[in-house]
Amino acid sequence: MSFDPVDLRDIRVQIAEPGMPDPGVLQQPVMGGFTNRIGRLGGGHTGKFTVPPERMEPDGRKLVALAQMAKEYGALFEYPQVDFDVGAPMRADGTPITVVGAHAGGRMVQITDASPGYAVKLGQAFNIERGGHPYLYFAGAETILDDNGAGLLTLTRPLRRKLLGGEPVEIRRPVIAGWIVGDNFSWPIDMQRTVGLVFDVLERA
């Protein structure tokens, strides 16, 4: 039996702390000289989400139940883009944005069927879905899509999965999809009958 990740995109978040684990290593010559970095594909992103205290009844009880399931089956958290106006990346008829192909060793992705002339901004977050799983990426340059809603997006980090073409692209509401990490997961309840939660999330690479 399989379960879908628990959707926690609509929970209230007080503090969000995104991060980027680095699987690469630095090579430092013993006798001095140039330092080289060896990059490695793999690691996704991390996030620490602090939820403001909720009254145990009724919202806290429900939140704890969702958190228990998220610990077991994984979760979706909305990636925060504070004060950023995403605009309308999708066409009015709801045509899905998709991947055409990858270029430059996975550092660039060709997309199509977005809103004509839409501008993908430097640092803007988006998901590319592969095998039913959304992977989080960020734009490494501003790209203004053409009259067909097509363009070549530069990525801040290389692709983690090979793309075959036709993969969905989510720009409106990108997520971090992964696991709540840590051997212990608790939900402290204070004497004011409120509960506060902190989620440490590791994106599924």
Side-chain angles (χ1 to χ4, degrees):
M1 180 181 294
S2 62
F3 293 85
D4 292 327
V6 177
D7 190 344
L8 296 178
R9 291 177 297 175
D10 290 327
I11 64 171
R12 293 195 304 147
V13 174
Q14 187 173 33
I15 302 173
E17 302 174 55
M20 186 185 81
D22 183 8
V25 296
L26 294 177
Q27 279 189 332
Q28 177 69 52
V30 177
M31 302 300 292
F34 291 106
T35 300
N36 296 313
R37 182 180 184 279
I38 300 177
R40 293 193 177 109
L41 296 180
H45 298 85
T46 60
K48 183 172 185 176
F49 297 90
T50 301
V51 180
E54 297 278 6
R55 298 287 296 182
M56 275 304 296
E57 287 298 331
D59 296 325
R61 166 175 47 83
K62 297 174 184 176
L63 180 60
V64 168
L66 289 172
Q68 291 171 341
M69 292 186 288
K71 177 65 175 172
E72 187 72 21
Y73 307 121
L76 299 176
F77 288 86
E78 183 171 0
Y79 179 80
Q81 300 190 93
V82 179
D83 293 334
F84 178 70
D85 183 5
V86 176
M90 287 191 70
R91 297 183 179 183
D93 62 5
T95 301
I97 305 169
T98 57
V99 168
V100 176
H103 304 270
R107 297 180 65 88
M108 305 181 103
V109 175
Q110 180 80 31
I111 67 169
T112 191
D113 290 332
S115 292
Y118 181 78
V120 179
K121 301 297 182 62
L122 171 64
Q124 184 172 348
F126 57 92
N127 294 126
I128 298 177
E129 185 176 311
R130 179 77 169 85
H133 179 78
Y135 293 84
L136 180 64
Y137 293 101
F138 297 89
E142 180 169 326
T143 300
I144 299 178
L145 306 181
D146 64 20
D147 291 342
N148 295 315
L152 189 62
L153 304 186
T154 300
L155 308 179
T156 57
R157 305 177 81 187
L159 291 169
R160 284 164 275 155
R161 292 286 302 274
K162 181 179 180 180
L163 301 180
L164 304 177
E167 290 86 357
V169 178
E170 173 58 51
I171 299 178
R172 294 175 302 173
R173 199 179 185 190
V175 300
I176 295 179
W179 308 105
I180 295 176
V181 295
D183 294 334
N184 297 306
F185 182 74
S186 61
W187 43 96
I189 303 172
D190 67 23
M191 297 309 294
Q192 300 300 316
R193 305 298 194 272
T194 63
V195 61
L197 295 176
V198 177
F199 300 93
D200 287 301
V201 181
L202 175 65
E203 185 185 10
R204 196 179 94 182

